[in-house]
């Protein structure tokens, strides 16, 4: 892979052929999604892209089936494979981790609930520190809110000794505590700030499945996308002063997620199924691309067994209705919104799909290697 980027492979227009499934702002130029490169990794299972180094020479993946970290060069050649969940001198002493990121071109942070573990590129443990800031998330393995730059780490989290500042009668008071934090890789806090008051889970209080934001660092600013609120918030980095916000203005497919009463069985999962949430975003050539998942119809959700989450019927409804709607913006103006036959993903500046270009089925055939396709907006 020649990073950012090689010869143009194909040009694909980013709007739906069906006017019923797309919205284009009159008179606005709609950029094209250009397939510019690809990377092939010789693995039987699709690994998750966790991060890549600032010099773009190393890529960090994780195979959740084998519990292995995979380090590659920028052509996909595997440099190192390591399982550090097992017992041993280099173990991170846990069956799971919260997130893992490069903290320099030659050091990798693995953050667990109990500790911050710093490895070299051979995955030899070189530093270990007790966790001072816990990440607030229901996700494990690739929490989207953790991001690193210049030896500093942004997290959406809390200190265990400070839980009484925001946890009241089983309900999290999200507006009373500085959940936005910037610290060092060993866990020392440098800056902190509260979340914006306009977030939906502050305006309409209750229990939600998701609180943490997707995070993106650009120069001396950090952009945060709290996934249930259709806005993008812009902060200074590392000071975490709120500078501005961008209204994403989603169309009629966006369905507000409602809160539930705390500790009411699986209600929070059904409300998440019913509502919409933003999945990710990135910037490409001065364009912002983001996408949200549609919500399932009320009648389909209400017909499910409320005592069970993740059974065949639940997953069938999720697969049928929780599909992406893409948006393209520039200079705070929405240029286009619509559905598209591809599952895009983002990691920092990278916009990519796995094993399928637009219109292709990633599960059409069995593979003994996995292909990552990279795109730009032009």
């Amino acid at each position: 892979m020649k990073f950012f980027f090689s010869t143009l492979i194909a040009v694909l227009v980013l709007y739906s052929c069906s006017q019923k499934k797309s919205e284009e702002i009159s008179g606005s130029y709609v950029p094209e999604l250009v397939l510019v490169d690809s990377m092939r990794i010789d693995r039987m299972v699709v690994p998750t892209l966790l991060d890549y180094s600032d010099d773009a020479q190393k890529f960090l993946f994780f195979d959740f089936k084998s519990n292995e970290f995979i380090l590659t060069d920028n052509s996909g050649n595997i440099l190192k494979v390591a399982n550090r969940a097992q017992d041993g001198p280099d173990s991170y002493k846990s069956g799971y981790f919260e997130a893992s990121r490069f903290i320099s071109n030659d050091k990798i942070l693995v953050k667990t609930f109990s500790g911050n573990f710093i490895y070299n590129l051979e995955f030899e443990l070189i530093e270990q520190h007790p966790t001072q800031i816990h990440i607030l998330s229901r996700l494990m393995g690739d929490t989207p809110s953790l991001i690193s730059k210049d030896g500093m780490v942004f997290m959406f989290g809390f200190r265990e000794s400070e839980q009484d500042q925001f946890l009241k009668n089983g309900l999290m008071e999200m507006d009373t505590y500085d959940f936005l934090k910037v610290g060092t890789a060993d866990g020392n806090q440098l800056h902190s700030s509260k979340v914006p008051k306009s977030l939906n889970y502050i305006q309409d209080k209750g229990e939600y499945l998701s609180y943490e934001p997707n995070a993106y660092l650009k120069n001396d600013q950090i952009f945060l996308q709290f996934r249930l609120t259709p806005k993008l918030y812009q902060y200074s980095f590392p000071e975490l002063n709120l500078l501005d916000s961008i209204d994403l203005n989603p169309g009629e497919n966006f369905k507000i997620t409602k809160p539930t009463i705390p500790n009411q069985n699986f209600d929070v999962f059904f409300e998440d199924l019913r509502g919409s949430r933003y999945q990710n975003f990135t910037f490409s050539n001065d364009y912002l691309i983001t996408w949200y998942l549609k919500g399932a119809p009320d009648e389909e959700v209400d017909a499910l067994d409320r005592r069970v989450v993740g059974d065949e019927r639940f997953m069938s409804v999720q697969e049928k209705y929780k599909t992406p709607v893409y948006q393209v913006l520039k200079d705070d103006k929405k240029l286009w919104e619509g559905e598209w036959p591809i599952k895009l993903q983002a990691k920092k500046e990278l916009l990519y799909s796995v094993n399928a270009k637009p219109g292709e089925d990633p599960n059409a055939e069995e593979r003994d290697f996995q292909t990552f396709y990279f795109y730009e907006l032009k």
Side-chain angles (χ1 to χ4, degrees):
M1 173 183 173
K2 297 177 182 177
F3 197 77
F4 291 112
F5 272 112
S6 66
T7 305
L8 179 130
I9 300 174
V11 175
L12 304 162
V13 180
L14 185 60
Y15 55 81
S16 170
C17 296
S18 170
Q19 293 182 352
K20 294 181 180 179
K21 291 190 176 182
S22 66
E23 173 192 350
E24 182 179 343
I25 309 304
S26 177
S28 297
Y29 169 73
V30 179
E32 296 171 339
L33 186 70
V34 179
L35 174 60
V36 291
D37 213 340
S38 64
M39 173 193 289
R40 193 177 96 167
I41 301 176
D42 291 328
R43 296 288 291 188
M44 297 293 292
V45 175
V46 178
T48 297
L49 175 59
L50 299 179
D51 199 9
Y52 56 90
S53 58
D54 287 341
D55 63 5
Q57 297 302 303
K58 304 291 190 298
F59 280 67
L60 179 64
F61 297 86
F62 192 76
D63 185 332
F64 282 93
K65 186 173 182 179
S66 64
N67 240 359
E68 291 176 319
F69 285 98
I70 305 163
L71 186 70
T72 77
D73 63 16
N74 59 11
S75 295
N77 299 311
I78 295 176
L79 305 175
K80 183 70 177 181
V81 176
N83 184 332
R84 292 297 179 256
Q86 297 174 338
D87 292 336
D90 294 320
S91 171
Y92 50 79
K93 300 175 178 62
S94 176
Y96 64 89
F97 60 94
E98 296 173 313
S100 181
R101 301 287 185 265
F102 284 96
I103 54 172
S104 68
N105 289 329
D106 59 358
K107 292 181 181 179
I108 294 170
L109 168 68
V110 177
K111 181 170 176 56
T112 73
F113 186 79
S114 61
N116 291 357
F117 298 81
I118 299 175
Y119 293 87
N120 61 21
L121 298 185
E122 293 295 317
F123 269 92
E124 297 167 336
L125 184 63
I126 55 178
E127 293 182 47
Q128 178 182 340
H129 306 276
T131 290
Q132 299 184 48
I133 301 172
H134 297 290
I135 293 176
L136 179 60
S137 176
R138 284 188 166 96
L139 299 174
M140 293 296 159
D142 193 23
T143 301
S145 64
L146 191 143
I147 195 164
S148 173
K149 180 183 179 182
D150 298 332
M152 293 179 289
V153 179
F154 169 81
M155 289 173 286
F156 184 77
F158 63 95
R159 294 179 182 274
E160 192 168 357
S161 61
E162 298 172 344
Q163 289 189 65
D164 59 350
Q165 296 182 27
F166 61 88
L167 194 59
K168 312 289 185 182
N169 299 319
L171 179 65
M172 287 189 287
E173 298 286 343
M174 302 300 297
D175 54 346
T176 64
Y177 182 75
D178 287 3
F179 285 102
L180 308 181
K181 298 183 182 296
V182 170
T184 57
D186 58 11
N188 292 316
Q189 182 173 305
L190 301 175
H191 303 278
S192 67
S193 181
K194 291 181 172 58
V195 299
K197 295 181 179 179
S198 54
L199 290 181
N200 72 306
Y201 57 63
I202 291 177
Q203 296 297 315
D204 193 7
K205 294 184 177 181
E207 184 178 15
Y208 293 87
L209 187 62
S210 174
Y211 295 94
E212 77 274 28
N214 296 313
Y216 178 98
L217 276 168
K218 186 177 182 181
N219 301 323
D220 58 352
Q221 296 177 358
I222 185 168
F223 292 82
L224 301 180
Q225 181 185 58
F226 296 86
R227 294 183 289 172
L228 303 182
T229 300
K231 286 179 178 290
L232 191 64
Y233 296 91
Q234 188 175 349
Y235 284 80
S236 63
F237 184 86
E239 301 85 1
L240 296 178
N241 297 317
L242 181 59
L243 303 175
D244 203 354
S245 64
I246 300 171
D247 195 336
L248 299 176
N249 290 312
E252 60 183 11
N253 282 313
F254 188 85
K255 188 177 179 183
I256 296 296
T257 300
K258 298 178 181 179
T260 64
I261 299 173
N263 303 317
Q264 293 296 305
N265 298 321
F266 299 124
D267 286 0
V268 68
F269 294 94
F270 288 95
E271 289 307 316
D272 184 74
L273 181 65
R274 191 192 309 271
S276 295
R277 56 182 162 87
Y278 274 87
Q279 198 168 29
N280 215 331
F281 74 99
T282 191
F283 291 89
S284 178
N285 294 325
D286 294 326
Y287 294 103
L288 165 66
I289 179 170
T290 184
W291 53 97
Y292 61 87
L293 301 181
K294 294 192 292 185
D298 291 344
E299 58 272 17
E300 297 253 13
V301 177
D302 292 339
L304 295 173
D305 185 345
R306 308 290 289 196
R307 301 168 299 177
V308 181
V309 171
D311 65 347
E312 184 176 348
R313 290 187 61 197
F314 185 99
M315 299 305 295
S316 176
V317 172
Q318 179 173 279
E319 182 177 354
K320 181 178 180 180
Y321 293 107
K322 302 293 281 189
T323 56
V325 177
Y326 297 96
Q327 295 180 283
V328 177
L329 298 90
K330 186 175 184 180
D331 299 329
D332 302 353
K333 179 182 179 182
K334 185 172 71 173
L335 305 181
W336 176 86
E337 176 173 330
E339 298 178 77
W340 210 43
I342 188 172
K343 182 180 179 181
L344 290 174
Q345 300 182 56
K347 182 62 66 176
K348 298 193 297 193
E349 291 89 354
L350 281 182
L351 183 65
Y352 65 97
S353 63
V354 182
N355 286 337
K357 299 186 289 294
E360 297 179 350
D361 181 2
N363 301 313
E365 58 182 273
E366 293 186 6
R367 298 176 172 86
D368 55 7
F369 62 87
Q370 314 302 324
T371 305
F372 287 68
Y373 297 102
F374 299 96
Y375 305 88
E376 288 183 352
L377 287 179
K378 293 184 177 180

